[in-house]
């Protein structure tokens, strides 16, 4: 709702945005920050009254002014201080019953005190805010951002006072036809400041991006670059890895980048079985931070996926960022520990984080626990592929996703789309995204979750996008949306590509505790039976190099209202939202145990 009026607003704001460039800092969780998490006062504003007059004109005295009623002044019809609070990070839908279905703008306000430091730049960091967000500090417009699952940073250095300050962020989760994602999704449109918010202090010259990785075909050659913002050419960058006696310096070029290549002694390469991480210190001018990184190579050779030069089979599962037990957007350490702990318990070495970049806590934990990661942007179903502005939004989210997780050893796959219709506009759109991935990160594999064609009992993987991908993901629901579980036994698979295949989705719904014959839908027995037939069928696909069945845990979806069974949950989880393992969980666990026994 906000947006309709917003289009005109955007023109007005354009000039403002140029003042405060939205950029992305990296490894913010490894920098000292001033946390702004906690209780924020909020105003639910379905009509955008906080921003528009009754004629839809931009207000100059909007809620961003954090106004107070003056004794003889005009009526001020809002008061943040007396307004209820919402927790940050967190979605608003599961914090307040009245907001469960709410889609629209909500204003967040928080006071903070700050002492300005000499030769220091300050950014407000938002881990994620769904979907569009507008930021003001001390009544000054700072920046805005579109996209609900990637971080953004906006400079506020010259807006801060010594002592009292306040920040106002309007977040609007209205779904947009020209959004990424678009109007239809099979997940809950959790709104709000869903990830950490903080102030980040950096010196005047600081490292704002870097890429350090193991050179392909090598055991211990690390190569890459470090970009320094605001630095003079010839300045020095230093990379230190004490455990490997690495202490390398390089000069910064005119583009602010220093390139490096060096031997890293007895480097132990990262893998799910050996999730070795190193403390890596990056230093430039007055700026220094320590990152925790692992080093691996991942590549394709024919129809094989090679991890550190050896073929690997991905024993995985798909996961939504739904918090176990309390539900809502996963944003706490314990959410991630529970979810990835179940994957380990299942015998998994890989996770597909669907359908959007998950919290950075998740990829950090995957680094530590030893789980390979498929990370995806929500180019999901029927996005408006013919609109250049929509492509720009997708590219922005892709760059933000890659920039944040380029330093994560666990991440092996960047996925550009899920179940998108095979139209010419879509192909062009997705090819542009593939090119963008290769430009941003040539060290990882590009993939997408494709739909397959059916001819009688034959399934055919020949989506033209496959030609542009390194690894082909495909979704199929034999036994649920089509045919019966047993029909998997007679299904023949054909692929047009001499490339590795991953079945990125298969599965069926089951309500935990609902029992019956294997042909009774919604029962645990039906789901388990479906998995047994799927696993036999999939074993027969020669080029299959991995799987991520749909899905680890039941998750909320507005498309699933069936009373008594779904109740607005997609029940394809192997585990219920309350942590109860269904029969199919053990079917998959057994299969993964056999698989890992067969390769060890
Ligand atoms: C699709 C889609 C998922 C969805 C699933 C389902 O394949 O990619 O997002 O939840 O099917 O229907 O359960």
């Amino acid at each position: 709702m906000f947006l309709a009026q917003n289009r005109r607003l955007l023109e007005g704001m354009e000039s403002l945005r140029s003042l405060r460039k939205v950029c992305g800092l990296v490894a913010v969780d490894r920098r000292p920050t001033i946390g702004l998490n906690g209780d924020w006062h909020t105003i639910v504003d379905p009509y955008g009254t906080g921003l528009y007059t009754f004629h839809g004109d931009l207000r100059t005295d909007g809620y961003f002014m954090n106004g107070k009623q003056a004794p003889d002044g005009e009526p001020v019809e809002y008061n943040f201080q007396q307004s209820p609070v919402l927790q940050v990070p967190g979605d608003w839908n599961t914090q307040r019953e009245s907001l469960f279905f709410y889609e629209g703008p909500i204003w967040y306000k928080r006071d903070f005190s700050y002492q300005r430091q000499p030769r220091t730049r300050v950014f407000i960091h938002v881990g994620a805010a769904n979907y569009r967000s507008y930021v003001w500090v001390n009544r000054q417009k700072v920046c805005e951002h579109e996209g609900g699952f990637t971080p953004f940073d906006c400079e506020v250095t010259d807006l801060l006072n010594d002592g009292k300050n306040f920040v106002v962020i309007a977040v609007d989760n209205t779904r947009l036809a020209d959004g990424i994602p678009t109007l239809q999704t099979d997940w809950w449109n959790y709104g709000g400041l869903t990830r950490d918010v903080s102030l980040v202090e950096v010196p005047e010259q600081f490292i704002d991006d870097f890429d350090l990785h193991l050179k392909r075909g090598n055991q211990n050659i690390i190569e890459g670059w470090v970009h320094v913002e605001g630095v003079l050419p010839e300045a020095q960058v230093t990379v230190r890895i004490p455990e490997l006696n690495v202490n390398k310096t390089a000069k910064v070029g005119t583009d602010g980048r220093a390139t490096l290549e060096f031997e890293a002694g007895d480097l132990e390469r990262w893998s799910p079985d050996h999730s070795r991480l190193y403390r890596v210190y990056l230093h430039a001018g007055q700026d220094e931070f320590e990152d925790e990184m692992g080093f691996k190579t991942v590549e394709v050779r024919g129809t094989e996926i090679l991890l550190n030069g050896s073929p690997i089979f991905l024993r995985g599962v798909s996961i939504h960022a739904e918090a176990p037990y309390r539900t809502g957007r996963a944003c706490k350490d314990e959410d991630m520990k529970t979810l990835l702990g179940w994957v380990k318990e299942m015998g998994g070495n890989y996770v597909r984080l669907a359908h959007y970049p998950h919290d950075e806590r998740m990829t950090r934990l995957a680094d530590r626990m030893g789980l390979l990661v498929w990370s995806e942007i929500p180019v999901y179903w029927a996005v408006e592929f013919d609109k250049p502005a929509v492509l720009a939004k997708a590219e922005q989210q892709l760059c933000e996703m890659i920039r944040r997780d380029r330093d994560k050893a666990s991440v092996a796959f960047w996925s550009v789309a899920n179940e998108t219709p095979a139209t010419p506009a879509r192909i062009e759109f997705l090819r542009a995204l593939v090119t963008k991935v290769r430009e941003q990160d040539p060290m990882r594999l590009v993939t997408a979750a494709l739909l397959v064609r059916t001819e009688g009992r034959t399934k055919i993987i020949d989506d033209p996008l496959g030609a542009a991908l390194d690894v082909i993901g495909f979704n199929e629901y034999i036994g649920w949306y089509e045919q019966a579980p047993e029909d998997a036994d007679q299904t023949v698979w054909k692929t047009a590509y001499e490339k590795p295949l991953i079945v990125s989705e298969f599965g069926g719904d089951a309500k935990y505790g609902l029992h019956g014959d294997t042909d009774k839908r919604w029962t645990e027995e039906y789901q388990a039976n479906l998995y047994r037939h799927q696993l036999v069928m999939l074993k027969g696909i020669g080029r299959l190099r991995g799987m991520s069945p749909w899905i680890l845990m039941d998750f909320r979806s507005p498309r699933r209202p069936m009373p008594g069974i779904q109740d607005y949950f997609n029940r394809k989880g192997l585990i219920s939202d309350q942590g109860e393992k269904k029969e199919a969980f053990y079917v998959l666990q057994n299969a993964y145990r056999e698989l890992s026994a067969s390769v060890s």
Side-chain angles (χ1 to χ4, degrees):
M1 198 299 303
F2 229 3
L3 200 66
Q5 293 165 303
N6 231 351
R7 294 236 176 270
R8 200 149 52 74
L9 162 69
L10 283 181
E11 279 95 44
M13 286 186 183
E14 276 311 322
S15 58
L16 272 173
R17 189 191 290 175
S18 56
L19 285 177
R20 310 211 179 286
K21 190 159 66 58
V22 172
C23 67
L25 299 172
V26 289
V28 167
D29 63 337
R30 310 295 300 183
R31 284 184 176 276
T33 58
I34 299 161
L36 295 176
N37 288 350
D39 289 345
W40 289 54
H41 287 282
T42 56
I43 299 174
V44 181
D45 184 13
Y47 282 37
T49 312
L51 208 52
Y52 302 102
T53 66
F54 67 110
H55 281 165
D57 300 318
L58 182 65
R59 291 180 63 175
T60 53
D61 62 344
Y63 293 175
F64 50 84
M65 298 301 282
N66 188 18
K68 301 278 181 307
Q69 182 62 56
D72 53 358
E74 284 177 21
V76 174
E77 298 176 285
Y78 70 96
N79 181 322
F80 273 114
Q81 225 40 47
Q82 287 162 11
S83 300
V85 298
L86 283 171
Q87 269 290 312
V88 172
D91 63 276
W92 59 59
N93 312 71
T94 56
Q95 287 191 56
R96 214 183 286 167
E97 197 165 342
S98 62
L99 296 176
F100 187 60
F101 287 103
Y102 181 72
E103 294 188 305
I106 291 187
W107 294 80
Y108 287 77
K109 195 276 291 189
R110 190 180 190 297
D111 297 335
F112 63 93
S113 60
Y114 183 76
Q115 289 306 321
R116 286 179 302 174
Q117 309 297 322
R119 290 180 301 288
T120 299
R121 295 172 68 174
V122 188
F123 291 81
I124 185 157
H125 170 79
V126 177
N130 191 46
Y131 174 68
R132 292 194 57 102
S133 34
Y134 312 82
V135 183
W136 289 263
V137 166
N138 298 334
R139 301 186 176 82
Q140 298 293 317
K141 175 77 192 298
V142 178
C143 63
E144 58 193 75
H145 183 266
E146 178 166 344
F149 304 98
T150 46
F152 60 97
D153 302 277
C154 306
E155 179 152 20
V156 294
T157 312
D158 55 356
L159 297 179
L160 296 172
N161 310 322
D162 281 330
K164 283 205 169 131
N165 296 270
F166 69 89
V167 51
V168 171
I169 306 183
V171 183
D172 183 359
N173 72 336
T174 301
R175 284 169 291 121
L176 309 175
D178 64 353
I180 299 282
T182 183
L183 297 171
Q184 284 298 332
T185 69
D186 190 27
W187 66 81
W188 208 267
N189 183 25
Y190 290 124
L193 296 171
T194 53
R195 294 183 192 154
D196 297 344
V197 181
S198 60
L199 289 176
V200 187
E201 294 175 311
V202 289
E204 283 166 337
Q205 289 88 30
F206 63 96
I207 296 167
D208 70 336
D209 201 0
F210 72 97
D211 176 1
L212 289 172
H213 57 261
L214 191 56
K215 197 171 179 177
R216 280 189 174 150
N218 269 281
Q219 305 269 337
N220 71 345
I221 304 285
I222 293 178
E223 60 177 4
W225 49 267
V226 176
H227 184 271
V228 188
E229 179 67 23
V231 78
L232 300 169
E234 300 300 304
Q236 296 261 340
V237 158
T238 305
V239 172
R240 288 185 304 112
I241 312 176
E243 292 162 276
L244 296 168
N245 298 320
V246 166
N247 186 343
K248 289 290 168 200
T249 62
K251 279 203 168 35
V252 173
T254 48
D255 59 356
R257 250 191 204 198
T259 53
L260 303 105
E261 179 165 328
F262 52 86
E263 256 193 50
D266 304 333
L267 178 112
E268 295 164 43
R269 291 178 291 179
W270 183 97
S271 72
D273 302 331
H274 186 65
S275 51
R276 180 68 161 95
L277 299 174
Y278 292 92
R279 292 176 185 284
V280 178
Y281 296 82
L282 293 98
H283 178 96
Q286 300 308 308
D287 193 22
E288 175 160 79
F289 65 87
E290 169 235 311
D291 199 350
E292 193 185 37
M293 298 177 67
F295 297 93
K296 66 162 196 313
T297 61
V298 63
E299 53 204 307
V300 163
R301 186 184 58 205
T303 65
E304 295 283 2
I305 298 173
L306 305 182
L307 179 69
N308 298 330
S310 309
I312 186 167
F313 188 89
L314 304 166
R315 305 184 309 272
V317 70
S318 295
I319 302 181
H320 256 302
E322 184 88 51
Y325 307 109
R326 73 170 194 280
T327 75
R329 198 42 87 216
C331 61
K332 302 180 193 295
D333 288 333
E334 78 247 23
D335 300 335
M336 316 310 169
K337 285 196 188 110
T338 304
L339 292 167
L340 296 189
W342 285 331
V343 179
K344 278 286 183 181
E345 195 185 330
M346 167 195 286
N349 63 1
Y350 158 70
V351 287
R352 176 187 178 208
L353 302 181
H355 292 290
Y356 37 76
H358 286 213
D359 194 301
E360 190 166 11
R361 285 178 172 80
M362 191 63 132
T363 46
R364 284 280 184 212
L365 189 58
D367 276 5
R368 294 189 191 117
M369 289 175 75
L371 288 165
L372 284 160
V373 166
W374 159 311
S375 186
E376 184 165 289
I377 54 168
V379 175
Y380 180 90
W381 290 347
V383 156
E384 295 191 340
F385 294 107
D386 56 350
K387 294 215 171 106
V390 176
L391 176 59
K393 294 179 185 183
E395 287 178 336
Q396 175 207 319
Q397 292 186 25
L398 196 61
C399 293
E400 290 171 349
M401 170 176 77
I402 294 175
R403 189 183 188 128
R404 190 199 77 184
D405 281 350
R406 196 188 278 117
D407 65 338
K408 311 293 186 306
S410 56
V411 178
F413 305 96
W414 300 120
S415 169
V416 295
N418 178 75
E419 293 193 349
T420 46
T423 64
R426 169 258 190 185
I427 295 281
E428 208 188 309
F429 185 109
L430 295 181
R431 283 200 185 118
L433 292 183
V434 170
T435 307
K436 184 61 78 177
V437 174
R438 297 197 195 290
E439 174 200 299
Q440 295 289 315
D441 182 4
M443 284 304 123
R444 291 185 171 91
L445 303 176
V446 190
T447 189
L450 306 179
L451 294 168
V452 298
R453 264 182 337 105
T454 306
E455 283 178 6
R457 283 243 177 267
T458 305
K459 290 285 182 191
I460 303 147
I461 303 169
D462 63 356
D463 179 324
L465 181 69
L469 303 176
D470 298 316
V471 171
I472 295 181
F474 65 95
N475 296 358
E476 53 89 5
Y477 280 93
I478 297 169
W480 188 254
Y481 291 126
E482 53 174 330
Q483 304 172 50
E486 294 71 19
D487 294 319
D489 307 354
Q490 279 82 43
T491 300
V492 177
W493 283 87
K494 287 203 174 124
T495 171
Y497 299 104
E498 186 68 32
K499 294 184 178 188
L501 301 174
I502 294 178
V503 56
S504 31
E505 290 183 35
F506 70 86
D509 286 62
K511 168 83 172 162
Y512 174 75
L514 190 61
H515 293 287
D517 294 340
T518 55
D519 61 358
K520 191 156 184 299
R521 276 181 184 273
W522 309 107
T523 62
E524 290 192 43
E525 287 75 11
Y526 187 105
Q527 188 189 44
N529 179 47
L530 181 150
Y531 268 73
R532 287 191 193 92
H533 287 278
Q534 280 286 324
L535 291 165
V536 173
M537 175 190 73
L538 294 169
K539 242 193 209 145
I541 302 179
R543 295 171 191 167
L544 194 75
R545 302 298 176 229
M547 57 176 77
S548 54
W550 195 259
I551 185 164
L552 177 67
M553 186 189 87
D554 294 353
F555 61 96
R556 288 191 190 278
S557 166
R559 297 165 55 85
R560 315 291 174 173
M562 190 154 74
I565 290 194
Q566 294 179 314
D567 299 312
Y568 290 112
F569 278 90
N570 182 312
R571 295 286 182 199
K572 292 190 181 67
L574 292 161
I575 303 173
S576 77
D577 52 291
Q578 293 310 308
E580 302 141 321
K581 295 188 176 74
K582 304 174 191 177
E583 192 183 329
F585 175 90
Y586 301 104
V587 172
L588 190 64
Q589 186 185 52
N590 289 339
Y592 282 177
R593 288 201 172 135
E594 278 166 27
L595 262 171
S596 49
S598 68
V599 288
S600 54

